[in-house]
Amino acid sequence: MVMQSFALASAGVALLAAWSQNRTVRALALWGIAHVVAAGGILSLMLGFTSHQPAWLGLGGTLLSLQSSLVWKAARTIDSKPAPLIIALVGPAVVALSGGIPGVREFAGSLALAMGAVYILATATTLLLGRKERLAARLPLVILSAVHAAALLIGTYSTFTGSTAQDTVPSITSLFGFIYFESIIFALGTSVFILALVKERNEATGLAAARTDSLTGIASRAAFFETAERVLERYRRDGAPVSIMMFDLDRFKAINDRHGHAVGDAVIRKFCEVTTAALRPNDVFGRVGGEEFAAVLPGSSIEAAYARAERIRASFAQDCRFIRDRQVNATVSGGVSVSIKSEQTLEELLEYSDAALYEAKADGRNCIKRAELAKPEGRTANVFRVA
């Protein structure tokens, strides 16, 4: 029991220290407090067993059930699920009150163990339901929680049936003795894996931020090229066409200069909303420049891609006549190309679309142009496009 208390206290302090460095993650504080509370509960039980004072035993059972309820609340907090404090306190309160009820007092130890098992089972269930997040540390937390709940149920059975007394120190060789070792593994293991889960989540959040354009929420340039390459390669093997659309907002610098950057940002977001609504779920759309965007349409002919690009252009012009009560009349120009050879690369297709986009700009803007199916020999694709 001394080792139990020391392990729980050490694990709790480690989690609280980690929380002090990252105070936005409340689950670390809750889980750390839970382990510290459990360490106090073990000490209370030790005092109760040695002094034969039922009050210490009652306090120990209450604190241990409070540990389980706080762990449940921490697990719910990890996944941003509601965890009302009243639910976390009702179990420990029932355990505390049971010590003063004749006929129930004799089974207070069993009740404390059973209440803890209920909370820990709820913890394992909560963590299991959040597995779609695909974090490697989540499964070990589920397993450790399930094993701990099973251990508490074993303890409940052992004390309730009388094979382990309610008010004496259980033998280390008894059925209850398994809890001595398992609780240490639970304390240290969950501390390690909750820290690993937080680290994994922070890394995943950072990666997602790097792959997402912060202004519009669509794919960043790097993410677009990475995904588009995979799509092109897959459809190239199947011999299916892949069309590329490129867009550039017309005279965007003038919009910023005349109406301000807030309106300019609103125009960009509006274009992304219009385009996203017009694309299919398997299409790839990203921001490749300040006011320049590209989309990959797998399995789409150039006629279908042209029709979709024209629809985007018309909808955007209609929706951007007024932005924030200002008459903006923003428009967009676009170029469309399609893969016609299996060896064509993404860069080549983008060059074709870029050349078509240049023609749209030169032809008066606010229009869509199809790319030539092949580049004339000797022609380079270094296009210097006007706004």
Side-chain angles (χ1 to χ4, degrees):
M1 293 180 74
V2 170
M3 290 302 299
Q4 276 184 294
S5 181
F6 178 76
L8 286 161
S10 300
V13 169
L15 290 176
L16 288 172
W19 171 74
S20 69
Q21 302 298 317
N22 190 0
R23 300 208 171 194
T24 59
V25 186
R26 291 179 56 244
L28 291 176
L30 288 169
W31 213 299
I33 292 172
H35 285 337
V36 172
V37 165
I42 296 296
L43 289 175
S44 297
L45 290 177
M46 291 167 61
L47 288 171
F49 289 141
T50 55
S51 66
H52 303 288
Q53 294 293 325
W56 284 113
L57 293 175
L59 177 60
T62 301
L63 291 177
L64 288 174
S65 62
L66 180 59
Q67 177 214 20
S68 299
S69 67
L70 288 176
V71 166
W72 166 80
K73 185 173 176 62
R76 301 280 295 181
T77 304
I78 287 172
D79 292 329
S80 301
K81 296 177 180 177
L85 183 60
I86 185 66
I87 296 179
L89 294 179
V90 67
V94 169
V95 173
L97 293 173
S98 68
I101 302 175
V104 179
R105 184 186 307 134
E106 291 77 9
F107 301 98
S110 298
L111 181 61
L113 289 166
M115 199 63 69
V118 170
Y119 278 116
I120 297 300
L121 278 174
T123 298
T125 302
T126 296
L127 293 169
L128 183 64
L129 292 176
R131 67 188 182 277
K132 292 180 181 179
E133 195 177 12
R134 297 187 180 280
L135 298 178
R138 185 178 289 272
L139 182 58
L141 280 173
V142 173
I143 294 173
L144 286 170
S145 298
V147 170
H148 188 54
L152 293 176
L153 289 174
I154 291 173
T156 302
Y157 173 79
S158 177
T159 53
F160 186 77
T161 58
S163 60
T164 300
Q166 299 273 346
D167 56 355
T168 58
V169 180
S171 169
I172 200 169
T173 59
S174 67
L175 181 63
F176 190 96
F178 172 71
I179 295 180
Y180 290 131
F181 303 100
E182 186 280 330
S183 61
I184 294 175
I185 295 172
F186 177 74
L188 299 179
T190 55
S191 297
V192 169
F193 286 111
I194 191 67
L195 289 172
L197 186 143
V198 170
K199 182 175 181 291
E200 280 186 281
R201 177 173 286 173
N202 288 340
E203 291 175 351
T205 301
L207 181 61
R211 295 178 58 83
T212 304
D213 179 64
S214 58
L215 176 62
T216 63
I218 65 173
S220 65
R221 178 184 176 89
F224 169 79
F225 275 92
E226 178 185 335
T227 307
E229 286 280 10
R230 290 201 304 267
V231 169
L232 184 62
E233 177 62 28
R234 183 168 66 251
Y235 277 78
R236 182 189 292 128
R237 290 196 302 267
D238 296 339
V242 176
S243 293
I244 306 287
M245 300 190 302
M246 287 197 69
F247 297 97
D248 190 85
L249 303 184
D250 297 327
R251 298 187 175 92
F252 185 72
K253 184 177 183 302
I255 293 175
N256 274 334
D257 293 342
R258 186 178 304 117
H259 302 288
H261 289 279
V263 172
D265 289 347
V267 169
I268 288 178
R269 284 194 291 266
K270 176 57 69 175
F271 173 76
C272 291
E273 291 173 10
V274 168
T275 304
T276 301
L279 294 177
R280 302 166 300 177
N282 62 329
D283 295 334
V284 184
F285 178 47
R287 187 179 183 185
V288 296
E291 63 272 10
E292 193 170 1
F293 304 85
V296 175
L297 282 63
S300 176
S301 65
I302 194 168
E303 291 80 10
Y306 176 84
R308 196 174 299 273
E310 182 61 32
R311 189 158 59 248
I312 291 170
R313 180 203 64 77
S315 297
F316 176 68
Q318 177 64 31
D319 291 352
C320 277
R321 292 176 59 196
F322 292 90
I323 295 290
R324 295 191 175 186
D325 299 325
R326 293 173 178 265
Q327 187 170 356
V328 178
N329 291 326
T331 59
V332 66
S333 300
V336 182
S337 67
V338 66
S339 60
I340 56 174
K341 299 177 182 178
S342 61
E343 67 271 12
Q344 283 179 317
T345 65
L346 176 64
E347 287 74 14
E348 289 175 330
L349 294 173
L350 287 171
E351 287 174 1
Y352 296 155
S353 296
D354 201 50
L357 176 54
Y358 173 76
E359 293 176 10
K361 291 286 189 181
D363 202 31
R365 302 179 181 83
N366 192 23
C367 61
I368 307 295
K369 295 291 185 180
R370 295 182 180 86
E372 299 175 12
L373 294 184
K375 284 191 299 184
E377 190 173 341
R379 171 181 170 183
T380 64
N382 295 326
V383 176
F384 295 92
R385 186 170 59 254
V386 295

